Amino acid sequence: MNLAGLLPYVMPIGIGLLVVLLLSLVPDPHRRPLNALGIAGAGGVYFSGGGLDAWELPFGALMLYVAYRGLTSWTFIGIGWLLHTAWDVVHHLKGNPILPFAHDSSLGCAICDPVIALWCLRGGPPLHDLVPGRRAPRQRAVT
C-alpha cells in the first residue's frame, strides 16, 4: 500500500482535528458565536469562483440563516458544516475547487468539515471534555 497516496485523505482529518482543538480552547461564552461566524464565512467561500453560477447566492443565504440560528444552537452550526461538506462535494465533482490552484482542495474540505461538524453536534465541548478520562477542573466556592 502506498502511504503517500493516503495523504490527501488523512491530512484533512488532521486539519479538522487541529481546528477542533484550537476552537475548543476558546472560552465558553465566545466559542459558539465564533463558530457561527465561521459558518457564515463558509457560505461565501465559493462566490468568486462562480462554479455553480447563480446557485452560489441561495446557498450563501441558506448558510447565513444557519449561522444566525447557530448563534444560539450548536446543532445548527453542525448542520452548517454538513451543508458545506455537501457543497464541497458538488464543487469537487464539477471540477471547481475552493482553491483554484489546488485541484483537490474541495475534496479535502469535504473530508475536514464533517470532523468539525461532529464536534459541533456534540455541543462544541472544551478541550478538557475531549480527553477521555479527564475531568473538568473543579470551581472553588468563593466565601
Side-chain angles (χ1 to χ4, degrees):
M1 175 191 286
N2 181 0
L3 293 178
L6 292 176
L7 194 59
Y9 307 103
V10 174
M11 182 78 101
I13 294 170
I15 291 170
L17 291 172
L18 180 63
V19 168
V20 165
L21 173 71
L22 293 175
L23 288 173
S24 72
L25 295 174
V26 174
D28 196 22
H30 307 293
R31 192 177 312 125
R32 190 175 51 231
L34 179 64
N35 278 275
L37 284 173
I39 290 300
V45 296
Y46 286 107
F47 279 175
S48 66
L52 296 177
D53 301 320
W55 287 106
E56 301 290 356
L57 298 175
F59 179 75
L62 172 64
M63 290 293 279
L64 190 58
Y65 171 76
V66 170
Y68 173 73
R69 293 294 306 269
L71 288 170
T72 58
S73 169
W74 279 107
T75 300
F76 271 92
I77 296 171
I79 290 169
W81 284 118
L82 294 175
L83 286 169
H84 194 261
T85 298
W87 209 239
D88 289 327
V89 169
V90 170
H91 277 82
H92 176 70
L93 294 174
K94 188 163 172 33
N96 195 276
I98 194 168
L99 300 173
F101 56 86
H103 180 267
D104 288 336
S105 58
S106 289
L107 176 62
C109 198
I111 295 169
C112 176
D113 290 352
V115 174
I116 303 168
L118 289 173
W119 175 71
C120 292
L121 291 170
R122 286 189 60 210
L127 179 61
H128 55 76
D129 288 356
L130 295 173
V131 179
R134 172 105 195 244
R135 293 183 166 219
R138 292 185 0 162
Q139 299 283 332
R140 287 181 19 167
V142 178
T143 57

